[in-house]
Amino acid sequence: MIERILVATDRSPTAGQAVRWAADVAERFAADLLVLQVVPPMDHDAQVDPSELSRAADDLRREMGELVGVAGPRLRCRVLIHADPAEAIVDAADAESVDLVVVGSVGMRDRTEFLLRNVPNRVSHAARCSVVIVHTTAGAAAAPVGDADGPSGADLPAGAMGDVEDGLLRRAAQVARVFAKLGIRHLSSGPGDGPADGDDGSQRSEARHLRSALEELGPTFAKLGQVLSTRPDLLPPAFVDELATLQDRVTPLTEAEVVSVMEQELGVPWEDVFATIDPRPLAAGTIAQVHRATLAGGERVVVKVQRPTARDEILTDLALLERFAEKAERRQGIRRLVDAPAITGHLAASLRRELDFTREAANINRLRHALAPFPRLDVPGVYERISTARLLVMEEVEGVPLRQAPDGQPRREAGRQLLESYYSQILTEGFFHADPHPGNLLWWNEKLYFLDCGMVGEVEPGVRELLVLLVLAFWQSDATFLAEVVLLLAGDEGRSDVDLTAFTDDLARFVRRYHELPLREIQIGPALQEISEIALHHAIRLPASLVLAGKALAQMQLAAAQLDPDLDVLSVAGSFILRHSGARIRQGLDPKRLFYEAQKLQTRSVRLIEAVERLVGARPGPKLQVQFRGTERLEETVGRASRQLALALTAAGALLGAAIAANSRAARWLPAALGGAGGALTTGLVADLVRARR
């Protein structure tokens, strides 16, 4: 028998459908009907006046009586203040000993939507009585989940590619208007119209204009500026400093948009995976939005949801930038300011990586492996089973900012391990977190956690070996060897246009200035950045991975100094390099590796001896052969040189003979004949030389 029915409402039209359905059932069974409204608290600290709740219940009773035509003692209404409507409904059902709970399938409005959209699911699991979920979406204006991102590529009508081109043209016109308005028109001007080299005031002014333009052009261009601020090898320092102040100024996604993306990626209603999601975003960025949440099993997590339009917006703007880069090389003003093709290539690769959250999940797992030897460092766990390219679910790190870490031995150990881990990441693993600013580091359970692994760097094996030598040369104040290592890193050791003396002198001044500082004030990251700037001044471009590593080291050292201001950076670096070198030696002493290297050496030695024997004729086989390219030109050159040498020698002999004959008793005609022959030969030689130069 059904004697008591509870129905939940928020007084919305869709909830009214559930109330009418419950009233019909109550009429059929002559049951009591309890209408319950749960109101979320506006202020957790405010005290609610019971009389206000009573008046609200009376208003609800009058409204429900008119809606369903039920009156008298069989209709009761209650208004509760509670942060979790599902929990309030279950508790009220228990307290009232109801036989049936009725809820609508559409949740309530406004800021409580995340909590209330999963009310039916949660109530049906938690209630100790029967639960009926009334379908109340009929006639609702909500679009199907599959339509959230608009038509797919397969549904595009004929001529859609023309629409894409029109979209690019419209976007290009918008970009041009913004830049022209902010006074950056000369960036696309002809030769000679760019800012003068070394005009620092002009560059800073243009940098401010560029930052304003990027902010006005929206989230994608703001993200491009942020990525550019990490590449001092591609932009002048004034632009790097200004773009580093760019902030994400985006409108947060609505709850419906977040739910739409989640359900597309999960393939099931989000309530089947998550128990709750905090409606207030932790962060709203140009690519994604982050929310706290709780899984159905009770685990506290952080959910990163990609903006529905992020991919299309970024790819459209990148297509526009790639077309711009194709023409940039013909503009002296742009070439003088930036390397447009290099910037576009770096941005395209970086942003496409950030659009794929599976890459970030892989980065987190790889960084966890690199941090394994350091017990005071960690990264959040990833729930890979429910993470996709547009949805990333991670363990929630309930920590505090770096500066709030309690003083003590764990904090100082974390500071030293942070330094050592970066030397290990860059010099040993070749993989490092490229954005370790304080906002991406949290202190929790006596550990330092790295957050946001979307931006990482990789260092090639050859660069790692040379980077060890660079640090050692800096440590030993050897400017000459430091210059050689920098040229090796840039691949410019064979260049003849580098003023090696001037370059070495600049590095010597740099080394002297740093080694006049106390050891605790020396910073490896800024030192690497300054070496890069000196190299660029001499037209020596270092690998991008080294520039990014220098910036990451600079940020990391600031964080390490907050944890332990007394850390001796060079001492930590030196001890790490010694251990690193010792490990390499021990690896080389491995018996299996020694046997392998010995076999390689034996094989190469035998081949070398055989080659020498063939060369000297002691062994049959092909002898030494020298091949020349362009032999026709070589023969012509040798012939001309031989002819000119013969003319010169003959002319000199004739003239010398004429001089000797003139001073002797020889016939008078002999000096004249020899002198005439020498003059004729000299004239022929001069004529031949003139012809050779033409």
Side-chain angles (χ1 to χ4, degrees):
M1 294 293 295
I2 298 178
E3 298 180 352
R4 295 182 182 85
I5 300 174
L6 183 151
V7 59
T9 182
D10 66 348
R11 302 193 188 187
S12 65
T14 54
Q17 298 178 41
V19 173
R20 281 191 290 269
W21 190 93
D24 290 342
V25 175
E27 184 69 25
R28 187 179 313 161
F29 288 93
D32 294 338
L33 180 63
L34 171 61
V35 181
L36 176 68
Q37 180 182 7
V38 182
V39 180
M42 300 302 295
D43 187 343
H44 291 285
D45 298 327
Q47 297 296 322
V48 180
D49 187 349
S51 62
E52 292 183 5
L53 287 179
S54 178
R55 285 194 296 271
D58 290 341
D59 292 341
L60 179 63
R61 180 183 175 84
R62 284 192 296 272
E63 182 179 330
M64 293 300 103
E66 295 173 0
L67 178 66
V68 300
V70 178
R74 286 178 45 220
L75 175 64
R76 292 190 302 122
C77 294
R78 289 183 61 187
V79 177
L80 298 177
I81 305 294
H82 202 288
D84 188 342
E87 183 179 336
I89 293 170
V90 172
D91 290 346
D94 287 344
E96 298 286 344
S97 300
V98 300
D99 305 303
L100 178 67
V101 174
V102 179
V103 289
S105 61
V106 175
M108 298 188 183
R109 302 182 298 263
D110 304 327
R111 69 187 184 91
T112 62
E113 185 172 354
F114 270 138
L115 292 173
L116 294 177
R117 280 178 66 93
N118 66 343
V119 164
N121 196 353
R122 294 177 61 205
V123 170
S124 66
H125 283 82
R128 295 187 177 88
C129 61
S130 299
V131 178
V132 172
I133 300 175
V134 179
H135 183 66
T136 58
T137 57
V145 170
D147 296 338
D149 285 336
S152 65
D155 298 329
L156 290 175
M161 290 304 295
D163 295 338
V164 172
E165 289 293 328
D166 290 343
L168 280 178
L169 289 174
R170 285 194 296 272
R171 183 61 168 162
Q174 180 188 6
V175 172
R177 284 196 300 272
V178 171
F179 278 98
K181 180 179 68 175
L182 292 168
I184 313 180
R185 284 170 291 186
H186 74 267
L187 284 178
S188 58
S189 58
D193 294 332
D197 291 338
D199 189 350
D200 185 65
S202 174
Q203 279 199 353
R204 291 193 178 280
S205 175
E206 288 301 333
R208 287 192 294 271
H209 289 165
L210 178 61
R211 178 182 56 77
S212 299
L214 295 177
E215 287 178 347
E216 183 172 343
L217 286 170
T220 302
F221 276 81
K223 186 66 180 179
L224 301 185
Q226 290 170 354
V227 174
L228 279 174
S229 71
T230 68
R231 293 298 306 272
D233 59 322
L234 298 181
L235 283 178
F239 282 76
V240 171
D241 294 342
E242 190 66 34
L243 293 181
T245 65
L246 268 169
Q247 300 295 325
D248 291 352
R249 298 180 181 179
V250 297
T251 303
L253 296 173
T254 65
E255 294 165 4
E257 289 174 317
V258 173
V259 166
S260 174
V261 173
M262 292 176 68
E263 293 187 340
Q264 288 178 54
E265 297 303 302
L266 293 170
V268 296
W270 74 270
E271 300 96 326
D272 290 349
V273 178
F274 298 95
T276 62
I277 299 179
D278 190 338
R280 296 163 297 183
L282 281 173
T286 56
I287 289 179
Q289 187 160 302
V290 181
H291 289 263
R292 286 191 179 94
T294 305
L295 294 178
E299 301 94 334
R300 295 173 64 89
V301 296
V302 169
V303 183
K304 185 174 181 179
V305 182
Q306 189 171 121
R307 301 180 73 87
T309 59
R311 176 172 293 275
D312 290 341
E313 288 177 354
I314 288 175
L315 294 183
T316 297
D317 286 333
L318 285 177
L320 192 62
L321 288 171
E322 285 167 355
R323 295 192 180 187
F324 166 79
E326 291 174 1
K327 303 179 183 297
E329 289 299 293
R330 297 195 293 268
R331 300 290 185 177
Q332 184 177 350
I334 297 177
R335 286 202 313 270
R336 189 177 297 167
L337 191 61
V338 294
D339 185 349
I343 288 176
T344 303
H346 172 70
L347 292 177
S350 176
L351 289 172
R352 287 188 173 101
R353 281 196 302 268
E354 288 198 49
L355 285 170
D356 185 357
F357 291 171
T358 60
R359 299 284 293 272
E360 183 172 348
N363 292 341
I364 292 173
N365 291 330
R366 190 173 175 185
L367 186 59
R368 176 179 291 107
H369 172 75
L371 297 178
F374 306 98
R376 295 292 179 190
L377 307 177
D378 208 343
V379 290
V382 177
Y383 291 82
E384 297 184 15
R385 185 176 58 84
I386 51 177
S387 295
T388 68
R390 296 199 302 161
L391 180 69
L392 183 62
V393 184
M394 299 170 288
E395 169 192 14
E396 181 183 1
V397 176
E398 304 174 51
V400 298
L402 203 62
R403 61 180 180 276
Q404 296 179 19
D407 193 19
Q409 188 65 23
R411 174 173 175 152
R412 289 188 290 275
E413 288 176 355
R416 185 178 186 88
Q417 290 182 18
L418 180 60
L419 275 176
E420 291 184 345
S421 76
Y422 259 83
Y423 298 141
S424 174
Q425 289 176 50
I426 293 172
L427 299 178
T428 304
E429 300 292 333
F431 175 84
F432 60 96
H433 190 295
D435 196 21
H437 63 78
N440 281 339
L441 298 169
L442 283 183
W443 183 264
W444 187 44
N445 291 339
E446 297 189 339
K447 285 185 179 183
L448 188 64
Y449 279 80
F450 287 82
L451 308 180
D452 192 1
C453 294
M455 185 179 293
V456 297
E458 296 195 48
V459 184
E460 303 82 358
V463 175
R464 285 181 237 161
E465 300 296 330
L466 291 172
L467 189 53
V468 172
L469 294 178
L470 185 145
V471 174
L472 287 172
F474 171 69
W475 190 17
Q476 297 299 318
S477 302
D478 189 347
T480 302
F481 186 56
L482 182 61
E484 294 178 23
V485 174
V486 171
L487 288 172
L488 287 170
L489 279 166
D492 292 338
E493 64 273 17
R495 279 178 54 180
S496 59
D497 60 331
V498 175
D499 188 343
L500 188 58
T501 301
F503 181 44
T504 304
D505 290 343
D506 286 347
L507 288 175
R509 284 190 291 271
F510 153 76
V511 169
R512 282 196 302 271
R513 188 175 69 255
Y514 262 84
H515 280 265
E516 289 171 357
L517 296 173
L519 288 177
R520 289 188 177 88
E521 295 183 17
I522 296 177
Q523 298 184 359
I524 297 293
L528 285 177
Q529 289 179 299
E530 191 166 350
I531 290 173
S532 300
E533 292 170 5
I534 293 172
L536 281 175
H537 180 70
H538 289 270
I540 301 169
R541 186 175 294 278
L542 293 176
S545 58
L546 182 62
V547 179
L548 193 60
K551 185 176 180 66
L553 282 169
Q555 291 180 326
M556 175 276 302
Q557 190 163 337
L558 291 175
Q562 286 189 22
L563 291 168
D564 186 358
D566 296 328
L567 268 177
D568 184 343
V569 176
L570 278 184
S571 174
V572 175
S575 61
F576 173 81
I577 289 175
L578 289 176
R579 290 199 306 273
H580 175 75
S581 302
R584 293 289 303 276
I585 293 172
R586 287 192 298 274
Q587 181 184 5
L589 294 177
D590 178 70
K592 294 180 180 178
R593 186 169 185 85
L594 282 173
F595 177 76
Y596 170 69
E597 294 295 339
Q599 293 302 310
K600 281 202 313 185
L601 180 60
Q602 178 184 351
T603 302
R604 289 174 177 173
S605 300
V606 169
R607 292 180 63 188
L608 176 62
I609 293 171
E610 291 175 351
V612 172
E613 289 177 343
R614 283 194 297 268
L615 177 62
V616 299
R619 188 183 188 91
K623 304 298 186 292
L624 176 66
Q625 296 180 350
V626 180
Q627 295 182 346
F628 294 96
R629 295 181 180 178
T631 54
E632 295 179 358
R633 295 291 303 274
L634 179 61
E635 291 175 359
E636 180 184 345
T637 302
V638 172
R640 184 186 304 116
S642 301
R643 183 174 62 252
Q644 292 171 354
L645 180 61
L647 286 172
L649 291 175
T650 307
L655 293 174
L656 180 61
I660 294 173
N663 292 323
S664 68
R665 296 179 181 179
R668 294 183 177 179
W669 59 267
L670 184 58
L674 290 173
L681 291 170
T682 302
T683 303
L685 175 61
V686 171
D688 197 25
L689 290 171
V690 171
R691 283 197 303 271
R693 291 187 176 184
R694 290 178 179 174

